[in-house]
C-alpha cells in the first residue's frame, strides 16, 4: 500500500508542481553521509578546517568541536547551481556552555571555495553572492541575518556591517538537543527564508543568478559553540537545462520520426516522458511486419522511459519521505522527553505542596508554643511582683515607730541644744 501511494504521489507531482532532487548538490539524504569507500569525505563536497579538519561521521559533520576554541571550518560544493527556481534545506545543531559563542554561515557564492574559503561574514573580503549568518548578534540570544554582495564591498573593512543586511529575524537555535531546519526558497523572483517552519524574512526584489556554489562555514572564539551539519538538500522544479538539451539532441539524432530514442532513464522530468508518448494510430497503417515491429518497439521504449521517470521521481520522494519520517520520529522523541519533564514538574509541585503543608503545621505549632511560653512567663512575673510587694510591706516599719523615732530625735536634739547653751552661759567672759 505504501508503494502504491508513493507511486500515485509521484504521478500527481509529475503532473503538477514536482520537486526534483539535485544529487550532486545534496548530502545527508541516505543513511550514510560518508561512504565506506572514502571515509571522512562527502561526495561532491570539499571539507576543510583550520587548525583542525572537521570530523565527518556517518550521519553528521562536526564543523567546530565543543572543547577546542578558535576553530574555522568549511564545506564547499564541487558543482554549481544551474537553476533559477530551487529550494535548499539545511539541518544544523548548535550546542555549547552558557557563555559560549560562534557563528554559522550558509553561502551561495561565485567561486566560493576560492573567494570565501573558511571565512565568516565578519572576516571575508570581497565576494559575489548570498550569505545567511546565524549567531548571537548584539546579545540577542539568536539572530538569522541575510547579506548580499555584488563583489564591490569588502565586508572585512565595514564599520557597520549590520546596515548591509537585507533581512533578519530573532531565532532560538542553541542547546535544543535536536537539529534546527533552515529552508531557503528561490522561485519566480521571490526569495524566502524559513527557520523551523516559521517564516524568517521574504523579499520579491532578490534574483540570484545561476553558476553559484553552495557552502557552509563556521567560526568560533576561545569559548566555542559546537556546530553540526546533518544535511544539505537542494531541490528544484526543473531539470538541468544542459542535461535536457543533451537528451533532446540525442533523441533527435536517433529517431527523426518524433519517436525519441534515449538511454535508459533518459527523462528526468516525468512531464517530458508523458508528453512524448506515441499517439494512437489506426491498425490499417501497419500493413507489414516491419512497421508493426517498429511501432511495438517504439511503444515499449516509450513505456520504459515513462516508468524510469516515475521510478526516479518515486526514489526522490522516497528519500525526502524517509527524511521527514526521521524528523517526525525526532519530534515525537522530543515530545516524549518533554512529557517526562512535565511528569517531573507534577511530582515537584506535589512535593512543594506537601512542604507548604508541613511549614503551615510547623508555624501553627510554633505559635501555640510561643503563646504557652508567654502565658507561663506572664504568670511567673505576676507572682514575682506580688511576693516582692509583700516583702516590701513587711520590711517597712509602722506609724507608731515612725512617730516615736521622729519625736525622740527632736527631744535629743533639743536636749543637746540646751546643754550647749548652759555651758556657753557658764563659761567666764574674756575681755580684750
Amino acid at each position: 500500500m505504501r508503494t502504491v501511494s508513493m507511486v500515485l504521489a509521484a504521478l500527481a507531482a509529475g503532473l503538477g508542481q514536482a520537486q526534483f532532487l539535485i544529487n550532486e548538490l545534496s548530502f545527508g539524504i541516505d543513511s550514510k553521509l560518508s561512504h565506506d569507500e572514502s571515509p571522512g569525505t562527502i561526495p561532491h563536497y570539499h571539507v576543510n578546517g583550520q587548525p583542525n579538519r572537521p570530523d565527518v561521521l556517518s550521519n553528521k559533520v562536526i564543523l567546530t568541536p565543543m572543547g577546542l576554541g578558535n576553530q574555522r571550518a568549511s564545506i564547499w560544493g564541487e558543482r554549481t547551481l544551474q537553476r533559477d527556481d530551487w529550494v535548499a534545506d539545511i539541518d544544523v545543531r548548535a550546542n555549547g556552555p552558557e557563555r559560549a559563542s560562534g557563528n554559522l554561515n550558509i553561502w551561495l557564492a561565485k567561486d566560493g571555495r576560492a573567494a570565501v574559503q573558511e571565512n565568516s561574514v565578519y572576516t571575508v573580503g570581497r565576494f559575489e553572492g548570498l550569505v545567511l549568518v546565524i549567531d548571537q548578534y548584539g546579545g540577542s540570544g539568536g539572530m538569522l541575518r541575510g547579506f548580499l554582495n555584488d563583489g564591490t564591498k569588502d565586508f572585512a573593512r565595514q564599520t557597520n556591517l549590520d546596515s548591509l543586511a537585507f533581512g533578519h529575524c530573532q531565532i532560538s537555535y542553541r542547546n535544543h538537543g535536536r537539529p534546527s531546519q533552515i529552508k531557503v526558497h528561490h522561485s519566480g523572483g521571490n526569495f524566502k527564508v524559513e527557520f523551523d517552519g516559521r517564516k524568517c524574512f521574504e523579499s520579491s526584489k532578490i534574483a540570484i543568478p545561476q553558476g553559484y556554489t553552495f557552502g557552509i562555514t563556521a567560526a568560533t572564539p576561545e569559548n566555542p559553540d559546537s556546530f553540526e551539519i546533518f544535511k544539505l538538500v537542494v531541490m528544484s522544479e526543473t531539470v538541468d537545462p544542459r542535461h535536457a538539451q543533451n537528451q533532446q539532441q540525442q533523441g533527435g539524432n536517433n529517431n527523426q520520426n518524433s519517436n525519441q530514442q534515449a538511454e535508459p532513464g533518459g527523462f528526468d522530468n516525468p512531464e517530458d516522458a508523458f508528453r512524448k508518448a506515441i499517439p494512437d494510430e489506426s491498425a490499417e497503417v501497419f500493413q507489414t511486419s516491419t512497421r508493426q515491429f517498429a511501432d511495438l518497439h517504439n511503444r515499449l521504449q516509450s513505456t520504459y522511459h515513462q516508468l524510469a521517470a516515475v521510478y526516479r521521481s518515486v526514489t526522490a520522494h522516497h528519500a525526502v519521505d524517509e527524511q521527514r519520517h526521521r524528523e517526525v520520529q525526532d519530534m515525537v522523541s522530543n515530545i516524549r522527553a518533554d512529557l517526562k519533564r512535565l511528569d517531573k514538574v507534577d511530582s515537584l509541585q506535589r512535593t512543594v505542596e506537601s512542604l507548604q503543608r508541613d511549614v503551615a503545621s510547623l508555624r501553627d505549632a510554633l505559635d501555640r508554643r510561643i503563646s504557652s511560653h508567654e502565658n507561663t512567663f506572664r504568670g511567673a512575673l505576676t507572682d514575682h511582683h506580688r511576693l516582692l510587694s509583700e516583702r516590701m510591706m513587711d520590711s517597712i516599719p509602722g506609724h507608731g515607730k515612725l512617730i516615736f523615732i521622729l519625736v525622740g530625735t527632736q527631744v535629743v536634739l533639743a536636749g543637746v541644744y540646751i546643754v550647749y547653751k548652759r555651758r556657753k552661759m557658764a563659761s567666764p567672759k574674756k575681755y580684750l
Side-chain angles (χ1 to χ4, degrees):
M1 291 296 295
R2 182 178 180 183
T3 305
V4 173
S5 62
M6 290 177 61
V7 170
L8 293 176
L11 290 174
L15 296 174
Q17 188 176 8
Q19 291 283 346
F20 300 97
L21 180 68
I22 308 177
N23 288 307
E24 63 271 15
L25 300 182
S26 305
F27 63 83
I29 306 171
D30 52 7
S31 58
K32 285 189 176 182
L33 188 67
S34 178
H35 298 296
D36 297 334
E37 295 79 8
S38 56
T41 62
I42 302 177
H44 309 298
Y45 275 84
H46 296 279
V47 181
N48 295 302
Q50 297 177 1
N52 299 318
R53 188 176 183 273
D55 294 330
V56 181
L57 306 181
S58 60
N59 63 335
K60 63 182 178 181
V61 182
I62 304 177
L63 289 177
T64 56
M66 188 176 299
L68 300 176
N70 300 318
Q71 297 285 320
R72 293 183 179 274
S74 67
I75 305 174
W76 282 104
E78 297 177 348
R79 307 287 183 87
T80 59
L81 178 62
Q82 300 296 330
R83 306 289 196 283
D84 290 325
D85 299 335
W86 50 268
V87 177
D89 192 355
I90 306 101
D91 282 359
V92 58
R93 182 168 64 185
N95 297 312
E98 181 179 357
R99 298 183 180 275
S101 61
N103 58 77
L104 182 76
N105 307 265
I106 302 172
W107 303 84
L108 181 57
K110 184 178 181 180
D111 300 327
R113 187 185 175 195
V116 179
Q117 300 178 357
E118 285 80 41
N119 287 299
S120 68
V121 70
Y122 301 104
T123 59
V124 70
R126 302 179 187 274
F127 72 96
E128 183 178 341
L130 164 75
V131 57
L132 301 177
V133 186
I134 298 175
D135 59 3
Q136 302 181 67
Y137 171 76
S140 60
M143 185 76 74
L144 194 157
R145 295 174 292 162
F147 296 87
L148 290 171
N149 193 0
D150 57 359
T152 60
K153 299 181 180 65
D154 190 342
F155 274 34
R157 297 184 179 181
Q158 294 293 322
T159 58
N160 187 12
L161 184 63
D162 187 59
S163 62
L164 301 179
F166 67 88
H168 68 277
C169 67
Q170 288 190 350
I171 60 174
S172 176
Y173 68 96
R174 299 181 69 249
N175 298 325
H176 288 319
R178 58 168 176 81
S180 297
Q181 183 187 50
I182 304 167
K183 185 171 288 188
V184 186
H185 302 260
H186 184 269
S187 176
N190 188 53
F191 181 85
K192 181 172 66 174
V193 177
E194 297 179 356
F195 185 86
D196 280 345
R198 178 177 62 88
K199 185 174 73 172
C200 186
F201 53 84
E202 184 177 7
S203 176
S204 59
K205 300 179 181 180
I206 297 175
I208 301 176
Q210 300 180 9
Y212 287 2
T213 307
F214 277 105
I216 302 174
T217 65
T220 57
E222 186 174 354
N223 192 14
D225 271 335
S226 175
F227 289 104
E228 301 171 347
I229 305 299
F230 290 83
K231 73 173 184 179
L232 169 58
V233 177
V234 184
M235 304 183 71
S236 177
E237 298 177 2
T238 59
V239 297
D240 191 339
R242 296 174 301 177
H243 184 69
Q245 183 178 2
N246 293 335
Q247 293 295 336
Q248 291 176 0
Q249 292 177 354
Q250 182 180 2
N253 293 331
N254 291 337
N255 192 345
Q256 299 295 331
N257 295 322
S258 72
N259 296 326
Q260 183 170 353
Q261 306 291 330
E263 295 181 359
F267 293 102
D268 283 338
N269 192 336
E271 292 183 357
D272 294 339
F274 287 104
R275 278 199 300 264
K276 294 182 181 299
I278 301 174
D280 295 335
E281 295 185 6
S282 175
E284 298 177 355
V285 178
F286 306 102
Q287 299 293 333
T288 63
S289 60
T290 302
R291 292 292 302 275
Q292 293 176 357
F293 177 77
D295 179 71
L296 179 62
H297 171 268
N298 293 335
R299 293 184 181 277
L300 287 175
Q301 193 172 44
S302 176
T303 303
Y304 176 76
H305 290 324
Q306 294 174 3
L307 291 176
V310 171
Y311 175 76
R312 280 193 299 275
S313 180
V314 169
T315 302
H317 283 275
H318 176 69
V320 176
D321 180 66
E322 289 295 331
Q323 180 65 25
R324 294 292 182 265
H325 179 65
R326 288 193 294 269
E327 292 175 357
V328 171
Q329 286 182 333
D330 294 339
M331 293 177 62
V332 171
S333 300
N334 294 331
I335 291 174
R336 289 177 178 174
D338 293 337
L339 291 176
K340 291 181 179 179
R341 295 192 188 97
L342 290 177
D343 293 338
K344 293 181 180 179
V345 171
D346 293 337
S347 176
L348 180 61
Q349 185 176 1
R350 290 192 296 270
T351 304
V352 171
E353 291 176 354
S354 176
L355 183 60
Q356 287 178 346
R357 290 192 296 269
D358 294 340
V359 170
S361 62
L362 180 61
R363 184 181 60 187
D364 294 338
L366 185 61
D367 290 340
R368 290 192 299 269
R369 186 68 59 86
I370 291 174
S371 179
S372 176
H373 281 291
E374 182 182 0
N375 294 332
T376 303
F377 179 73
R378 184 179 297 171
L381 187 61
T382 302
D383 295 339
H384 177 71
H385 286 172
R386 182 176 54 79
L387 294 174
L388 184 61
S389 298
E390 291 177 356
R391 289 178 183 177
M392 291 181 65
M393 292 298 294
D394 294 338
S395 63
I396 296 174
H399 295 288
K401 291 181 180 180
L402 287 176
I403 295 171
F404 176 75
I405 292 172
L406 291 175
V407 171
T409 303
Q410 295 295 328
V411 171
V412 171
L413 290 176
V416 173
Y417 180 74
I418 293 170
V419 173
Y420 170 74
K421 284 293 185 176
R422 286 179 179 180
R423 286 185 180 181
K424 187 174 181 182
M425 293 296 291
S427 60
K429 296 181 181 180
K430 295 181 180 180
Y431 297 98
L432 295 178

